[in-house]
Amino acid sequence: MKLQRKNMLRASALGALVVSGALVLTACGSDDNTKDNGSASGKPAAATGDIKCDDAKGKLLASGSSAQKNAVDLWVKAYMAACSGVEVNYKSSSSGEGIVAFNQGTVGFAGSDSALKPEQVEESKKVCTGGQGINLPMVGGPIAIGFNVSGVDKLTLDAPTLAAIFNDKIKKWDDEAIKKLNPGVTLPSTAIQAFHRSEDSGTTENLGKYLKAAAPEAWTYDAAKKWPAPGGQAASGSAGVASQVKAVDGAIGYFELSYAASQSIKTVDINTGAAAPVKASADSASKAIAAAKIAGTGSDLALKLDYTTKAEGAYPIVLVTYEVVCDKGNKAETLPTVKSFLNYTASDAGQKVLSENGYAPIPAEINTKVREVITSLS
C-alpha cells in the first residue's frame, strides 16, 4: 500500500485539478491513519487553527466506502493534529459493510456511495434513539472504466455495449459492436476478462444505476450493491479490481478514477450521444454532478443524479459519497467528536484541503445545507 500511496502522490504532484461545482474521488485500501498522508504539493494538510475541536474527545470509529478513503485520510491527519487527545479511525471496507456497522451501533458515522434505502433507514431507528439515519453528501466524482488490451491505447464504449460486456454477452474485444464504436482502432480477438466487486459496494450500485438508466434493454437488473450479472470474475475492493485489470491482458473493470491515475490504467471514453465521447475526469464528472438535485426530505440530503445526460463534456458514470449519521439519538460520548469532525470536513478549510490536493469542494449550495444539518445533530 505504501507503493500505491507513493504512486498516488506522484500523480497528484503533476497538478491539482480544481473544479468548481464538482468533486473528485480518490481512494486507497490502507486503514492506517498514523502514516504520513500530507499533500503532494508539500503544503500542510490544513491550517490547524481553522479546526474547531469544541468538546471532541476520545476515540471516534467510522467505516465504509473505500471511494472516499484518501479524502478521509487528509481530513483525519489535519483534524488529529489540531485536536490533541482525539483519535479518528476510519476503516475502509465497503459501503455495505459501513451501513451494517452503523446500524449495529458500532461506529459514529459511516461512508456510503449510495443513499440509505428505506429499510436501512427503518433499521437505523433502533440505534438512533428518537431519530434515524440521514445522508450527508461530502465527496463525489467519476467511476472510471479501466481496461488493459494489448495494442489498444484508446477505447470508446457506449452504455449498451458496456452492459453487454459486463453481462457476459460480448466475449471478444474484436466484437462488431466494439469495432463500430472504434473506427480505425485495431482490436485483437483477445477474450474479454470482466472484473467486478466481490462484496456489497456502492460503486457497483452506482454503475448499475447508470447501466439501468442508459441501457435498460441490455441491463435488466435492478441497481444493487451486490453484483447481479452472470459471468465475470470477482475481486475485493476497488483496489482488487484495479490490480486485476492492471495485471490481466484483455481485462476491464470499474473503480474510482484515482486507481487508474495511480496505476497508469487506461480508461474508457463514454459515448453518451453528445458530439464527442467523454473521458473520465474531474471536469467531465463535474458537469454531471453539478446538475444533481436534493431528493431527500428534512435533514436527509440524498441526491438524485442524471445518469442519462447527453450534455457536452458531461461524464455520466458518477457517484457521490455520503457520511451517514443519526439526525437525533447519536451516542452522547461520540456526538461532540462527530459534529466537530464533520463540521471541519464540510468547512471552507476542509474543502480547501481537497482542492489543494487534486480533489474539489462540494458545490456551495449543497454544502451550505450540509453544514446546517451537522450543526443540528443531537
Side-chain angles (χ1 to χ4, degrees):
M1 185 63 240
K2 288 182 179 179
L3 178 57
Q4 186 179 20
R5 179 173 285 116
K6 288 179 180 178
N7 288 339
M8 168 66 77
L9 295 178
R10 191 176 298 116
S12 296
L14 294 176
L17 300 174
V18 181
V19 182
S20 176
L23 313 102
V24 181
L25 279 179
T26 64
C28 180
S30 171
D31 294 324
D32 186 353
N33 292 328
T34 65
K35 297 179 181 180
D36 185 9
N37 295 312
S39 83
S41 64
K43 300 175 184 177
T48 56
D50 294 334
I51 298 173
K52 297 180 180 179
C53 304
D54 296 325
D55 296 321
K57 60 183 178 180
K59 188 173 186 178
L60 172 62
L61 299 179
S63 69
S65 165
S66 63
Q68 68 168 0
K69 182 59 169 64
N70 248 16
V72 175
D73 277 347
L74 291 170
W75 286 327
V76 167
K77 179 179 180 178
Y79 183 79
M80 288 175 57
C83 300
S84 177
V86 180
E87 179 182 352
V88 180
N89 189 324
Y90 182 81
K91 179 182 178 182
S92 172
S93 50
S94 68
S95 297
E97 291 176 44
I99 290 173
V100 168
F102 178 77
N103 281 340
Q104 289 177 342
T106 60
V107 295
F109 71 89
S112 177
D113 301 333
S114 57
L116 293 168
K117 295 186 177 349
E119 60 271 21
Q120 293 170 330
V121 173
E122 192 62 31
E123 186 178 356
S124 73
K125 294 178 181 179
K126 298 176 183 178
V127 295
C128 300
T129 307
Q132 64 182 41
I134 56 172
N135 306 281
L136 301 179
M138 201 67 70
V139 188
I143 300 172
I145 307 298
F147 71 96
N148 178 4
V149 183
S150 294
V152 179
D153 294 322
K154 184 176 178 60
L155 184 69
T156 297
L157 297 173
D158 59 12
T161 307
L162 192 60
I165 289 172
F166 280 118
N167 202 18
D168 205 31
K169 300 296 185 183
I170 294 180
K171 300 178 182 293
K172 299 283 188 178
W173 279 109
D174 61 352
D175 187 275
E176 288 301 319
I178 301 177
K179 290 168 69 174
K180 185 177 180 180
L181 290 165
N182 294 273
V185 177
T186 301
L187 294 162
S189 60
T190 307
I192 293 174
Q193 307 286 338
F195 288 91
H196 58 263
R197 294 279 289 271
S198 59
E199 73 285 0
D200 286 2
S201 161
T203 310
T204 294
E205 184 171 8
N206 280 275
L207 175 63
K209 288 178 179 178
Y210 162 71
L211 294 174
K212 180 73 171 180
E217 294 182 0
W219 193 261
T220 58
Y221 312 100
D222 290 333
K225 289 185 174 65
K226 184 176 180 62
W227 182 256
Q233 302 174 62
S236 178
S238 290
V241 174
S243 293
Q244 291 297 320
V245 171
K246 178 76 172 178
V248 178
D249 185 27
I252 187 170
Y254 59 94
F255 32 80
E256 293 71 41
L257 183 59
S258 65
Y259 287 102
S262 65
Q263 299 189 47
S264 298
I265 297 173
K266 291 168 285 192
T267 62
V268 171
D269 295 349
I270 301 298
N271 183 335
T272 64
V278 186
K279 183 176 294 294
S281 71
D283 183 56
S284 63
S286 76
K287 290 179 171 63
I289 295 174
K293 306 296 183 184
I294 294 177
T297 58
S299 297
D300 186 84
L301 300 179
L303 302 178
K304 180 176 178 58
L305 299 168
D306 181 8
Y307 295 99
T308 63
T309 180
K310 295 182 181 179
E312 296 298 328
Y315 184 81
I317 317 176
V318 293
L319 60 76
V320 169
T321 297
Y322 301 94
E323 311 313 332
V324 176
V325 296
C326 295
D327 58 355
K328 299 177 182 178
N330 290 277
K331 292 182 179 179
E333 61 269 27
T334 57
L335 176 60
T337 308
V338 168
K339 293 179 70 171
S340 173
F341 181 69
L342 294 184
N343 268 323
Y344 162 57
T345 65
S347 71
D348 289 340
Q351 295 295 293
K352 186 179 179 182
V353 168
L354 301 185
S355 64
E356 287 180 343
N357 290 274
Y359 307 91
I362 290 209
E365 181 180 352
I366 296 173
N367 196 40
T368 296
K369 296 178 180 179
V370 171
R371 295 178 189 179
E372 292 172 354
V373 173
I374 293 171
T375 301
S376 72
L377 299 179
S378 62

